Amino acid sequence: VHPNPFIRNPEMMKVAANYTDPTPNLAQAVQGLFAGQLTDVKATLQGVADRQNKALDEAFAKAQAEGAKVSRDDLVFSNWDTTKDYGAADYAAL
């Protein structure tokens, strides 16, 4: 079981509600690269990452404007060991 930002901070639901995945998203970009409609792999994937980060920043800003106590730190689980289930004690240790 991996860490879940919605368990850590239920107000993250407001971020999710305000997030709009930009287009092309990762799946569309990969399809475009595979089909030959897009050709520069590095630039295409960097563009996807940049647009997704911008959309996520905007979703956090909107949620904060609505009063949610959220930040990108809610997405960081520094004590996560990928070889073990992430449980209640791990959330409490953050």
Side-chain angles (χ1 to χ4, degrees):
V1 177
H2 60 82
N4 185 325
F6 301 107
I7 293 173
R8 179 178 184 178
N9 182 353
E11 290 192 87
M12 285 293 294
M13 293 300 289
K14 292 179 183 174
V15 175
N18 284 302
Y19 180 79
T20 301
D21 201 25
T23 54
N25 62 26
L26 180 59
Q28 293 163 335
V30 170
Q31 288 171 351
L33 289 165
F34 184 75
Q37 293 170 322
L38 303 171
T39 56
D40 189 337
V41 174
K42 184 176 180 178
T44 297
L45 296 179
Q46 186 62 57
V48 169
D50 292 345
R51 287 187 300 278
Q52 286 179 329
N53 276 311
K54 181 180 179 193
L56 189 56
D57 287 340
E58 289 171 357
F60 270 100
K62 287 178 185 176
Q64 290 165 345
E66 295 169 1
K69 291 181 174 47
V70 292
S71 75
R72 280 209 172 203
D73 290 340
D74 292 321
L75 302 173
V76 177
F77 295 85
S78 57
N79 60 345
W80 183 22
D81 178 349
T82 59
T83 65
K84 299 178 185 174
D85 285 343
Y86 201 85
D90 299 305
Y91 288 104
L94 291 173

